[in-house]
Amino acid sequence: MKDEISEIVNVENLVYKKTPLMTDNILSYCPGCGHGTAHRITMEVLEELGIGEKTIGVAPVGCSVLAYEFMNIDMQQAAHGRAPAVATGIKRTWPHKIVFTYQGDGDLAAIGTAETIHACNRGENFVIIFVNNGIYGMTGGQMAPTTLPGMKSSTSPYGRDVHIMGNPLKMTELIAELPGTRFVTRQAVHTPGNVRKAKRAIKKAFENQMNFKEGINFVEIVSNCNSGWKMTPVHSNEWMVENMFPFFPLGDIKVDGELVNK
Amino acid sequence: MGELKLMKGNEAIAEAAIRAGVDAYFGYPITPQSEVIEYLMVEKPYETTGMVVLQAESEIAAINMVYGAAASGKKAMTSSSSPGISLKQEGISYMAGAELPCLIANVVRGGPGLGTIQPSQADYFQATKGGGHGDYHMIVLAPASVQEMADFVSKGFDLAFKYRTPVMILSDGLIGQMMEKVILSEHTPRWTDEEIIKLSPWATTGKPASRERNIITSLDLDPYRQEEHNIHLQKKYKEIREKEVEYEEIMCEDAEYLFVAYGSSSRIAQKAIKLGREKGIKAGLLRPITLYPFPSEAIRRLSQQVKGILSLEMSAGQMIEDIRLSVDCEMKVEHFGRMGGVIHSPAEALQALEEKIIGG
Ligand SMILES: Cc1ncc(C[n+]2csc(CCOP(=O)(O)OP(=O)(O)O)c2C)c(N)n1
Ligand code: SF4
Ligand SMILES: [Mg+2]
């Protein structure tokens, strides 16, 4: 048995290995949640670019508040929504380091709206990874600024009534309009193909940070929150494709500082 | 020897920051402290010492920029006035929890709310008792002159890094706006990257293979570990109370009555004492230089000698609570102070001493 395994585990058969930039800590995410995949591909990109030792990450408040338990690099934990200001403080004083924030939709598009828009508008040179699951996952599934019209949450139990609760906010389209953003894209991580695309986008974002002095590189990942949506992981991904993607269409929105015309 | 200049208190803070080798200033305009960032923008230290100066979109953003820079081992500071300091409380609490060194200057104006742009000392509670959520304290320095506005910048950073804690300079619109002679210290170079890594091995400067990753956080969901952390913080505050108390005694040797006053009010008290002595009233002044830690021992000692204490503050009476605690309520302690931006006169202060302490 042991021999059989060691035969399988040889270099020729090696198609995947865990990046050393992820720790061995057990992920605190619900099984089926997209956060873990988003973490992994971000860390794989840092490893592939060889920049893990010079990167400082900023964790948000949200389900990914403990990102620093899983990402094996120097990290700071920011107050709710303030990650772009914290990252500004790091990058401005350590311009040769690589800096990124990892934020949820409540963090980035509700309480942190001002910090997000102004960091983008100033053209700060760091990467923002924005995991949009249309809900406040961590606090138990309340309505987020990204919750779809009609979508149920614990604070919109009869569905989001846009006349009472306002409309969902497309933060990514909004910041793409700002002169301070260089690369703005929307991706997903629910299929192997999407994971590869999302990883390529994250790589481009970090490469831009390395190659240019200015400009936010912003990668939105539309993701599921199977627990908050009260669905099985498989069903949540189907629901996401059917309902989230029409409202939050995938693809590049701004490349090399130019808006992509669709 | 340093350079002699005539400056506003706010300008002195800014110039001292450049000379102290500060790495970054993040601020947002508010009267009566906007001269700090205006002065820095005119001086452009980013072209000389390499100091970053950035106008943030809000006080909240500014204090969080300080958080990011401080967590990476840099000497970072911000300044504001009362309403803006209220907005910074979230960030200050996080920095106290995450044990980050930084300097915050509050050039206090009258409140509550938008209040007034005139000087006040009504933010004493907020500064010395915590201000934000959770069990924490800042070290609070109270300058009484433009000279001290300048001196307390490097002093503040020394304390901040010694204890890994936010330090506040608590001044007011009077000291921020008035012009006085100030001797500026020589330039101290900013720390090099290597010095930062050596001085602050805890800072997030990028994880080399040779060490574990550095994490800056105020979060620990395990209540027992969080309690341990709180016990650790409380030990630190105790050490600060034991080692860092500073105060000045003026004409206390033969004093029968005592003023306790800090900052602007201590200047007014000195004049009141002079007026009093002309009339044969032997009053003295204890001026706290650190408001946290508070000079309780010194006040207790002087209470053995004097017949009564008047707390002089431009507020409804906030520091008076700490004075009363210092003397265990065993002696007459009264308060006098104008509010809402009105500055009491020396004559008013003396009259209050006569009515509330001597006659009362
Ligand atoms: C100042 C403040 N307000 C509210 C909270 C409570 N809170 C924690 S996480 C969260 C929402 C996070 O949602 P999101 O950013 O979408 O992240 P997710 O958990 O969905 O990944 C809220 C409101 C907090 N921690 N701090
Ligand atoms: S609550 Fe939602 S976002 Fe949070 S870990 Fe679970 S599935 Fe993921
Ligand atoms: Mg969310």
Side-chain angles (χ1 to χ4, degrees):
Chain A
M1 180 66 187
K2 199 159 179 253
D3 278 356
E4 265 175 57
I5 289 177
S6 43
E7 199 166 296
I8 297 168
V9 187
N10 61 33
V11 183
E12 296 92 89
N13 292 335
L14 198 66
V15 289
Y16 176 76
K17 70 174 175 44
K18 184 176 123 309
T19 166
L21 293 189
M22 285 293 282
T23 65
D24 289 330
N25 294 336
I26 295 166
L27 289 176
S28 51
Y29 302 108
C30 307
C33 171
H35 269 305
T37 314
H39 279 27
R40 177 170 60 74
I41 58 177
T42 304
M43 291 299 110
E44 284 175 357
V45 164
L46 296 186
E47 188 199 354
E48 286 164 24
L49 294 174
I51 53 175
E53 293 197 0
K54 57 188 270 194
T55 300
I56 300 158
V58 184
V61 171
C63 279
S64 48
V65 65
L66 290 173
Y68 55 77
E69 292 289 344
F70 315 123
M71 298 179 171
N72 195 12
I73 56 168
D74 277 5
M75 301 248 337
Q76 302 184 13
Q77 199 286 312
H80 199 15
R82 318 300 178 214
V86 170
T88 299
I90 305 169
K91 185 71 183 187
R92 289 275 181 148
T93 54
W94 287 96
H96 303 300
K97 301 285 175 185
I98 300 297
V99 178
F100 73 93
T101 70
Y102 183 105
Q103 302 176 255
D105 45 324
D107 193 81
L108 180 141
I111 195 165
T113 306
E115 286 77 5
T116 304
I117 288 182
H118 284 279
C120 288
N121 199 45
R122 281 193 305 266
E124 298 295 338
N125 186 20
F126 54 80
V127 170
I128 296 178
I129 312 253
F130 167 38
V131 177
N132 172 11
N133 53 18
I135 205 156
Y136 285 4
M138 170 156 228
T139 36
Q142 294 84 5
M143 185 176 68
T146 42
T147 298
L148 299 176
M151 183 173 164
K152 286 183 180 161
S153 72
S154 69
T155 52
S156 57
Y158 307 106
R160 182 179 194 146
D161 181 341
V162 296
H163 300 293
I164 296 170
M165 301 160 181
N167 294 286
L169 183 58
K170 294 187 184 183
M171 195 62 148
T172 307
E173 277 80 355
L174 206 145
I175 60 100
E177 298 289 335
L178 304 174
T181 49
R182 181 176 301 282
F183 175 49
V184 181
T185 186
R186 184 181 282 124
Q187 302 289 334
V189 291
H190 63 305
T191 68
N194 284 96
V195 171
R196 277 197 292 277
K197 275 195 204 160
K199 188 173 160 185
R200 270 205 299 278
I202 292 172
K203 195 167 199 169
K204 184 177 172 65
F206 279 98
E207 282 170 346
N208 278 353
Q209 180 176 177
M210 293 160 77
N211 295 336
F212 298 96
K213 281 209 159 80
E214 285 172 33
I216 288 279
N217 296 286
F218 190 102
V219 182
E220 173 178 342
I221 296 173
V222 182
S223 187
N224 62 337
C225 173
N226 38 289
S227 293
W229 297 355
K230 306 206 183 333
M231 296 174 195
T232 63
V234 172
H235 183 210
S236 72
N237 279 329
E238 289 164 0
W239 191 89
M240 177 174 74
V241 173
E242 280 165 32
N243 298 278
M244 295 281 279
F245 291 178
F247 194 86
F248 297 112
L250 304 189
D252 291 344
I253 298 168
K254 191 178 196 180
V255 177
D256 300 334
E258 300 290 335
L259 287 170
V260 175
N261 294 318
K262 287 212 187 99
Chain B
M1 246 304 268
E3 200 180 331
L4 183 68
K5 278 202 170 178
L6 182 68
M7 292 184 121
K8 280 190 177 189
N10 289 335
E11 295 167 343
I13 287 188
E15 178 61 36
I18 300 172
R19 288 171 184 253
V22 171
D23 293 302
Y25 171 92
F26 302 102
Y28 186 84
I30 182 169
T31 309
Q33 69 75 55
S34 297
E35 292 84 359
V36 180
I37 189 166
E38 286 170 352
Y39 185 93
L40 289 169
M41 287 299 186
V42 170
E43 289 300 310
K44 294 196 280 189
Y46 37 90
E47 289 181 359
T48 51
T49 70
M51 176 184 177
V52 171
V53 185
L54 188 63
Q55 180 170 331
E57 64 270 29
S58 68
E59 289 86 351
I60 298 175
I63 191 72
N64 283 284
M65 290 172 187
V66 169
Y67 181 106
S72 289
K74 297 282 183 174
K75 273 192 198 171
M77 66 178 289
T78 182
S79 65
S80 187
S81 180
S82 311
I85 296 291
S86 290
L87 282 182
K88 291 186 195 289
Q89 294 304 326
E90 177 198 54
I92 295 172
S93 167
Y94 271 67
M95 293 186 84
E99 301 198 78
L100 296 179
C102 74
L103 184 67
I104 304 142
N106 183 0
V107 184
V108 181
R109 58 190 250 180
L114 201 48
T116 166
I117 59 172
Q118 302 301 326
S120 162
Q121 295 182 310
D123 294 357
Y124 177 93
F125 282 152
Q126 186 196 51
T128 61
K129 308 296 171 190
H133 57 285
D135 274 328
Y136 76 91
H137 288 282
M138 287 181 283
I139 295 175
V140 183
L141 305 174
S145 62
V146 174
Q147 183 67 54
E148 285 186 339
M149 288 287 253
D151 294 346
F152 288 2
V153 172
S154 48
K155 184 192 186 72
F157 273 110
D158 288 347
L159 288 165
F161 275 85
K162 180 172 175 189
Y163 292 101
R164 279 187 65 181
T165 188
V167 172
M168 176 170 277
I169 294 179
L170 188 72
S171 73
D172 62 66
L174 193 58
I175 297 178
Q177 293 294 329
M178 76 183 177
M179 293 186 92
E180 281 186 321
K181 275 189 299 190
V182 53
I183 298 169
L184 297 162
S185 63
E186 302 289 342
H187 279 270
T188 309
R190 287 174 48 235
W191 289 330
T192 63
D193 293 359
E194 292 70 35
E195 283 172 329
I196 288 172
I197 289 164
K198 207 163 155 241
L199 281 164
S200 301
W202 47 265
T204 57
T205 49
K207 175 199 172 304
S210 56
R211 68 154 164 82
E212 288 296 300
R213 66 195 194 285
N214 282 341
I215 296 167
I216 299 296
T217 182
S218 57
L219 177 76
D220 197 331
L221 292 167
D222 181 302
Y224 296 101
R225 282 203 309 263
Q226 187 61 261
E227 186 184 43
E228 274 305 308
H229 179 58
N230 269 271
I231 290 169
H232 161 73
L233 291 178
Q234 292 305 321
K235 274 196 191 136
K236 170 159 86 177
Y237 303 140
K238 184 162 178 276
E239 190 186 339
I240 289 169
R241 287 196 300 270
E242 284 164 2
K243 292 188 182 158
E244 305 299 344
V245 174
E246 268 192 63
Y247 57 89
E248 187 185 7
E249 286 180 41
I250 295 167
M251 306 188 101
C252 285
E253 302 79 29
D254 63 344
E256 289 173 5
Y257 304 99
L258 186 68
F259 281 104
V260 179
Y262 67 94
S264 296
S265 281
S266 73
R267 303 279 292 260
I268 296 160
Q270 283 182 61
K271 191 75 205 281
I273 290 168
K274 217 173 141 221
L275 295 178
R277 288 196 175 241
E278 281 163 14
K279 290 169 75 174
I281 298 169
K282 286 186 183 164
L285 167 68
L286 184 127
R287 171 173 86 92
I289 294 172
T290 54
L291 294 175
Y292 190 92
F294 190 70
S296 296
E297 289 293 336
I299 292 173
R300 200 176 357 259
R301 173 170 47 74
L302 285 167
S303 72
Q304 311 291 318
Q305 166 194 329
V306 300
K307 295 179 192 150
I309 299 176
L310 186 71
S311 177
L312 185 68
E313 320 166 55
M314 291 189 283
S315 72
Q318 300 190 6
M319 180 176 64
I320 185 172
E321 294 190 1
D322 287 329
I323 302 170
R324 283 188 171 147
L325 283 173
S326 303
V327 301
D328 272 340
C329 298
E330 280 174 3
M331 117 153 325
K332 191 172 179 64
V333 181
E334 295 295 337
H335 158 79
F336 176 72
R338 303 293 298 266
M339 288 177 281
V342 180
I343 302 162
H344 29 244
S345 69
E348 281 176 316
L350 179 63
Q351 191 187 345
L353 183 77
E354 290 182 272
E355 285 174 11
K356 295 186 170 200
I357 302 294
I358 303 173

